[in-house]
């Protein structure tokens, strides 16, 4: 990792922490600045990593672009479906990038069990709340995509801890959004 890439990743981490503080303190103006900046820093890290045209790299660029669009859609209230659609594209692109590498078949059962437990514990409540809001289809598709991405990330050993944290964060956010 070059110093420039490391600087972009470190900047993303610090800005993510600042974003969490903004969310916890209900500081919407600061959240609107920091949320997209995290993805912009990560996008910068990919660009600064040097030239390359590999399939995983392009899928990562697509995923980060769709994530940025999703962040912008979800910042103002009332844009849940476009935000979910953008993040669905992002998770499918991440999934594709992770599937390019070798997978560890012995981890599939463990990862799938964890995903199943997540659905049983929080997924049903999220989908129930989404159903009351008339959003069960988009929310269900999003949950399937994020769980598939996490399973493959864990099996491919590409950030399994980060994927697990992301699922917890997203399911908590979905619970808050759908009122469950």
């Amino acid at each position: 990792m070059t110093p420039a890439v490391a600087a972009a990743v470190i900047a993303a981490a610090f800005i993510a922490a600042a974003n969490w503080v903004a969310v916890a303190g209900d500081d919407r103006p600061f959240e609107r600045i920091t949320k997209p900046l995290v993805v912009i820093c990560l996008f910068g890290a990919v660009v600064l990593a040097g030239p390359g045209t590999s399939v995983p790299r392009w899928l990562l660029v697509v995923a980060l672009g769709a994530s940025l669009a999703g962040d912008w859609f979800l910042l103002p209230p009332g844009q849940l479906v476009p935000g979910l659609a953008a993040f669905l594209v992002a998770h499918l692109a991440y999934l594709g990038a992770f599937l390019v590498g070798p997978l560890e078949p012995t981890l599939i059962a463990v990862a799938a069990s964890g995903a199943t437990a997540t659905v049983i514990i929080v997924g049903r409540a999220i989908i129930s709340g989404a159903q009351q809001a008339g959003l069960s289809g988009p929310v269900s598709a999003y949950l399937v995509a994020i769980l598939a991405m996490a399973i493959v990330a864990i099996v491919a050993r590409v950030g399994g801890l980060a994927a697990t944290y992301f699922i917890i964060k997203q399911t908590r956010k979905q619970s808050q959004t759908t009122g469950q």
Side-chain angles (χ1 to χ4, degrees):
M1 181 180 307
T2 68
V5 172
V9 171
I10 291 168
F14 277 109
I15 295 169
N19 178 257
W20 295 335
V21 170
V23 171
D26 202 25
D27 185 351
R28 295 291 287 169
F30 192 55
E31 179 187 1
R32 290 174 197 260
I33 294 167
T34 56
K35 189 166 179 65
L37 273 179
V38 173
V39 177
I40 291 169
C41 288
L42 293 174
F43 188 80
V46 171
V47 170
L48 292 169
T53 57
S54 68
V55 171
R57 184 178 179 145
W58 282 112
L59 287 168
L60 187 57
V61 167
V62 168
L64 289 169
S67 293
L68 184 59
D71 283 343
W72 275 328
F73 278 126
L74 292 181
L75 282 173
Q79 296 293 319
L80 182 64
V81 173
L84 285 176
F87 281 119
L88 177 62
V89 170
H91 295 316
L92 293 174
Y94 285 126
L95 180 64
F98 297 156
L99 284 171
V100 172
L103 300 178
E104 297 257 349
T106 57
L107 293 177
I108 291 174
V110 173
S113 296
T116 302
T118 300
V119 169
I120 291 169
I121 295 168
V122 294
R124 292 186 315 181
I126 291 170
I127 292 170
S128 173
Q131 192 171 27
Q132 292 171 4
L135 297 169
S136 61
V139 170
S140 296
Y142 178 82
L143 283 175
V144 168
I146 195 171
L147 289 172
M149 183 217 41
I151 289 169
V152 172
I154 291 166
V155 171
R157 295 185 180 190
V158 197
L161 182 59
T164 303
Y165 169 77
F166 187 74
I167 284 181
I168 292 167
K169 180 179 158 209
Q170 291 300 323
T171 53
R172 183 172 170 263
K173 184 186 297 184
Q174 286 299 317
S175 293
Q176 293 169 340
T177 302
T178 58
Q180 293 296 312

